[in-house]
């Protein structure tokens, strides 16, 4: 790998690490706060799926059924297969021993940076650039979670750590409201989840997620005509 | 505040599933040798609505009905802090600002409301 391109990957990612680190701390601390054991939180950290981890924390707190937890994680992590489809043609190797770790560290931030970098730039060592970025994110995330695991054991439950997950979801939700269809998806998702609150196993949450996606697709199709 | 509904062995299975599913999804197109052109367009379109739909499904009940029933907006720390966090996120786009502002307002509102 070209060292200069590895360094470029790390450098371009550095500003984002300031956001990734506290997100990792919150994920670790909120997981501990929800009653997950430290080794299990470490397991979640290694799974390297922060949004799905925070969703799991909320679902555990609300005593959702295991099937709802699995379904939520499946929906939230489905984006990784799209990233894979988009970036694998640039990065895939004939050797499985290389593909496995390269795919494992694939994340939202490195994906977004890399595809922009790769388009119309053949000079970059793509695997080097991507590896620098993705490893920086992975290490930052793991350190954040470990700090969160330690802090989470010291923070009293009354501190309101449970609500911080909701605030994080708000911070992630608002930028996605970019047009009529995405707003419709959010209104439907939130509305259905609210109406379905009384349903067993937190099925209302799942209904909101699936219903919101469908409404978004319908509105987009309607508006597109 | 416990995971009483799910015992730890089951929780480990859930965590194992999350890790394996995430990894399999990430690895998928490294193995099948396809590209973005092989992804059905409905799947690509649907993924755009996952964040707004899923995050809203978590956020709205937690803000409007924190204890399981819809509360009066006035005097609810969850509602006030949720709205303030939403406004900060909308106006500034700052992750840090949203989290810090939201939690500060939540703490203050709890002190005032009791």
């Amino acid at each position: 790998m070209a060292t200069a391109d590895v360094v470029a990957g790390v450098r371009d990612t550095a500003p984002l690490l300031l956001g990734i680190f506290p997100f990792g701390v919150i994920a670790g601390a909120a997981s501990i706060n929800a009653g997950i054991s430290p080794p299990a939180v470490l397991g979640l950290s290694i799974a390297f799926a922060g949004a799905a981890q925070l969703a799991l924390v909320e679902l555990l707190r609300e005593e959702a059924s295991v099937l709802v937890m699995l379904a939520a994680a499946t929906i939230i992590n489905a984006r990784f297969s799209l990233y894979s489809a988009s970036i694998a043609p640039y990065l895939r190797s004939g050797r499985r021993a290389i593909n496995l770790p390269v795919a494992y560290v694939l994340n939202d931030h490195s994906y977004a940076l890399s595809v922009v970098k790769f388009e119309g730039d053949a000079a970059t060592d793509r695997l080097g650039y991507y590896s620098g970025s993705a490893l920086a994110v992975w290490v930052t995330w793991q350190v954040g979670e470990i700090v969160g695991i330690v802090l989470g054991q010291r923070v009293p439950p009354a501190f309101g750590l449970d609500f911080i997950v909701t605030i994080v979801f708000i911070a992630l939700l608002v930028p996605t409201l970019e047009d009529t269809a995405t707003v419709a998806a959010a209104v439907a998702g939130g509305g259905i989840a609210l109406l379905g609150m009384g349903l067993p196993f937190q099925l209302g949450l799942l209904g909101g997620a699936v219903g919101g996606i469908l409404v978004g697709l319908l509105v987009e199709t309607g508006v597109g005509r | 505040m416990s995971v009483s509904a799910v015992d730890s062995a089951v929780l480990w299975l859930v965590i194992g599933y999350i890790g394996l599913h995430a990894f399999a999804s990430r690895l998928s197109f490294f193995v099948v040798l396809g590209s973005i052109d092989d992804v059905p367009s409905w799947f690509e379109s649907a993924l755009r609505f996952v964040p707004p739909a899923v995050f809203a499904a978590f956020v709205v009940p937690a803000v409007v009905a924190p204890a399981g029933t819809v509360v009066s907006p006035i005097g609810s720390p969850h509602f006030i802090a949720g709205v303030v966090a939403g406004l900060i996120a909308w106006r500034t786009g700052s992750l840090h600002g949203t989290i810090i502002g939201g939690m500060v307002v939540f703490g203050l509102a709890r002190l005032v409301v009791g």
Side-chain angles (χ1 to χ4, degrees), chain A:
Chain A
M1 274 188 257
T3 313
D5 289 318
V6 177
V7 172
V10 175
R11 197 184 50 225
D12 290 354
T13 310
L16 301 176
L17 300 180
L18 294 175
I20 293 163
F21 180 74
F23 191 24
V25 175
I26 290 168
S31 299
I32 292 289
N33 198 249
I36 307 177
S37 71
V41 180
L42 212 52
L44 275 167
S45 181
I46 290 165
F48 198 39
Q53 179 177 348
L54 287 174
L56 176 66
V57 165
E58 285 298 288
L59 292 171
L60 279 170
R61 223 187 274 287
E62 289 160 20
E63 304 190 346
S65 87
V66 167
L67 285 178
V68 171
M69 296 175 193
L70 299 180
T74 304
I75 293 171
I76 291 170
N77 288 337
R79 70 189 188 285
F80 290 133
S81 53
L82 188 69
Y83 298 169
S84 184
S86 174
I87 210 165
Y90 292 115
L91 300 175
R92 88 167 59 95
S93 155
R95 291 161 59 195
R96 187 182 295 172
I98 294 178
N99 283 333
L100 293 178
V102 167
Y104 165 62
V105 291
L106 183 55
N107 65 82
D108 302 86
H109 311 279
S110 304
Y111 164 74
L113 283 174
S114 296
V115 288
V116 171
K117 179 85 174 169
F118 296 169
E119 279 166 15
D121 175 8
T124 303
D125 170 12
R126 288 166 170 162
L127 188 59
Y129 182 87
Y130 165 86
S131 302
S133 173
L135 275 178
V137 171
W138 188 85
V139 170
T140 304
W141 180 258
Q142 303 304 326
V143 173
E145 289 247 17
I146 290 166
V147 170
I149 290 171
V150 174
L151 286 181
Q153 291 168 304
R154 285 150 205 268
V155 174
F159 188 70
L161 256 184
D162 47 344
F163 193 62
I164 205 170
V165 177
T166 301
I167 300 277
V168 169
F169 282 153
I170 291 172
L172 295 174
L173 165 66
V174 171
T176 70
L177 305 175
E178 49 194 14
D179 54 23
T180 314
T182 44
V183 170
V187 170
I192 294 168
L194 192 62
L195 290 174
M197 261 189 332
L199 295 175
F201 314 126
Q202 293 297 324
L203 279 171
L205 263 169
L206 196 58
V210 174
I213 293 166
L214 291 176
V215 166
L217 282 170
L218 282 174
V219 170
E220 187 175 57
T221 314
V223 169
R225 267 180 202 153

Side-chain angles (χ1 to χ4, degrees), chain A residues 18-19 22 26 33-36 39-40 43-44 47-48 55-56 58-61 63 66 69-70 73-82 84-86 88-89 91-92 99-100 102-104 106 158-160 163-164 166-174 176 178-179 181-182 185-186 189-190 193-194 197 205 209 212-213 216-217 220, chain B residues 1-6 10-15 17-19 21-23 25-36 39 42-65 68-70 77-79 81-83 85-87 89-90 93-96 98-100 102-103 106 110:
Chain A
L18 294 175
I26 290 168
N33 198 249
I36 307 177
L44 275 167
F48 198 39
L56 176 66
E58 285 298 288
L59 292 171
L60 279 170
R61 223 187 274 287
E63 304 190 346
V66 167
M69 296 175 193
L70 299 180
T74 304
I75 293 171
I76 291 170
N77 288 337
R79 70 189 188 285
F80 290 133
S81 53
L82 188 69
S84 184
S86 174
L91 300 175
R92 88 167 59 95
N99 283 333
L100 293 178
V102 167
Y104 165 62
L106 183 55
F159 188 70
F163 193 62
I164 205 170
T166 301
I167 300 277
V168 169
F169 282 153
I170 291 172
L172 295 174
L173 165 66
V174 171
T176 70
E178 49 194 14
D179 54 23
T182 44
L194 192 62
M197 261 189 332
L205 263 169
I213 293 166
L217 282 170
E220 187 175 57
Chain B
M1 218 45 88
S2 69
V3 289
S4 53
V6 177
V10 174
L11 183 59
W12 271 110
L13 287 176
V14 172
I15 292 170
Y17 171 81
I18 292 175
H21 172 261
F23 182 53
S25 303
R26 287 166 159 136
L27 188 62
S28 53
F29 281 82
F30 284 85
V31 175
V32 301
L33 304 185
S35 76
I36 196 79
V39 177
W42 66 264
F43 182 75
E44 214 177 324
S45 307
L47 276 180
R48 193 165 83 86
F49 299 111
V50 169
V54 171
F55 292 138
F58 277 100
V59 163
V60 172
V63 167
V64 177
T69 46
V70 177
H78 295 83
F79 186 86
V83 169
L87 288 173
W90 177 45
S94 159
L95 182 68
H96 292 171
T98 303
I99 293 171
I100 294 168
M103 287 311 284
F106 183 60
R110 279 208 306 187

